[in-house]
Amino acid sequence: MGFASKCNYYHPCQSLILDTTDKNWETCFTEAELNEIRNEGGLLDCREVPEELELHYSELKGMKTSIEVYKYAKNIQIDDPLVEDVKAWFSTELQYISRLFFKTRQFDITAMPETDQQYLPFGFFNTIFLGSDVAARGTENSSEANANAINASRKLSSITVISTRKMGRRGDTIFKYGSQELGCCEVGVARDQTKTLSDCSIKMPLVLRDMLLSATYNSNLLHSAHVIGYSITELTNLYRGSPLISYPLIFTPQ
């Protein structure tokens, strides 16, 4: 708490968020202590590649052009798209993404509006949930969990008038199950380190913390649950075969 009390500007630790990727902590903890903090908390259950996609992943590695990828995706055998929903999603998204590279094998993502930056090359983050009970709400929706936390201190007018309800912080995508928020996504491809730090290290952790607290109702669940945010930043030109630059933020209490 000594570091938090010395901050001249708002820092996430003042909201009880400790992000070990923040270089400020290198002056407060030893490397051994930071590693101990990183290893605390429940492990994230990351599933392996679905069995029905393993062969396709392997075969794609040998392809050289987007035309090859498109034709391959188009010819994936799907007998029943309702039963083989993962394969149907994989085939559809692969065809769509490969088409982006047909003419020049690259395109300038920075020339697009921010909404297009997310939904053209990275729409698969949202379409994977089609047909499920999870909905991906886009176009800069505000977080209801964050709004509820911000407005928790509102009270009836007495000595002073009741304050106006404030909106929660906005996200490019909010993932919801019914009324419950489970995660979020931020896209900002411009090379703006300040915006990247703001989105990844301040905005998203605060929203994810409020989502986690809203989604859990007892201490046992709180210490085993995770909410996940994706921050896709600092992309200029996308090339076929280049790795996806994505920074997942996994928020779990220590």
Side-chain angles (χ1 to χ4, degrees):
M1 294 303 292
F3 170 73
S5 63
K6 295 177 182 177
C7 292
N8 294 321
Y9 301 93
Y10 173 77
H11 190 275
C13 67
Q14 294 167 339
S15 296
L16 302 181
I17 296 174
L18 198 163
D19 177 7
T20 55
T21 64
D22 181 357
K23 294 182 180 179
N24 283 301
W25 295 118
E26 294 176 2
T27 62
C28 302
F29 299 103
T30 66
E31 186 60 30
E33 290 171 333
L34 287 173
N35 286 331
E36 182 180 353
I37 294 171
R38 293 185 187 107
N39 293 328
E40 281 295 320
L43 296 176
L44 180 65
D45 181 19
C46 295
R47 298 183 180 181
E48 299 294 329
V49 174
E51 184 177 347
E52 62 266 39
L53 297 184
E54 286 183 351
L55 176 62
H56 300 304
Y57 273 43
S58 176
E59 292 177 339
L60 282 169
K61 292 179 181 179
M63 298 186 185
K64 304 296 183 182
T65 69
S66 56
I67 301 293
E68 286 183 89
V69 173
Y70 178 83
K71 289 180 178 179
Y72 177 84
K74 188 176 181 181
N75 291 322
I76 292 176
Q77 182 177 347
I78 301 172
D79 297 320
D80 187 343
L82 295 180
V83 175
E84 301 172 281
D85 54 329
V86 175
K87 285 178 68 175
W89 164 81
F90 182 75
S91 173
T92 301
E93 288 302 316
L94 204 54
Q95 290 178 65
Y96 176 77
I97 293 173
S98 62
R99 289 182 61 193
L100 298 176
F101 301 91
F102 274 2
K103 289 187 177 181
T104 62
R105 299 182 65 190
Q106 70 180 51
F107 65 95
D108 184 5
I109 193 173
T110 60
M112 303 175 184
E114 188 172 281
T115 300
D116 290 344
Q117 292 172 2
Q118 178 177 5
Y119 291 106
L120 284 177
F122 302 113
F124 56 85
F125 277 107
N126 297 350
T127 57
I128 185 63
F129 294 109
L130 290 176
S132 75
D133 293 328
V134 176
R137 306 294 187 189
T139 62
E140 284 284 332
N141 279 317
S142 63
S143 168
E144 189 64 25
N146 184 239
N148 291 337
I150 291 173
N151 293 284
S153 60
R154 291 181 76 224
K155 53 188 177 183
L156 291 174
S157 299
S158 53
I159 298 174
T160 58
V161 67
I162 187 173
S163 60
T164 303
R165 180 175 171 83
K166 298 177 182 178
M167 291 182 61
R169 292 174 174 84
R170 293 181 179 273
D172 289 323
T173 298
I174 303 291
F175 300 106
K176 301 185 71 173
Y177 177 82
S179 61
Q180 197 63 63
E181 295 173 347
L182 304 176
C184 59
C185 179
E186 279 288 333
V187 177
V189 301
R191 290 188 178 277
D192 185 342
Q193 188 182 43
T194 300
K195 185 180 188 304
T196 299
L197 287 172
S198 176
D199 284 350
C200 294
S201 301
I202 297 180
K203 178 181 177 181
M204 289 185 68
L206 286 171
V207 172
L208 292 171
R209 178 206 60 184
D210 293 336
M211 288 180 177
L212 179 66
L213 294 177
S214 176
T216 54
Y217 49 85
N218 65 51
S219 58
N220 291 331
L221 182 59
L222 178 64
H223 286 84
S224 61
H226 299 80
V227 290
I228 300 178
Y230 292 97
S231 179
I232 304 167
T233 59
E234 295 191 19
L235 299 180
T236 51
N237 285 289
L238 295 183
Y239 297 87
R240 179 199 54 76
S242 64
L244 169 66
I245 301 178
S246 174
Y247 303 93
L249 300 177
I250 303 169
F251 193 92
T252 180
Q254 303 301 322

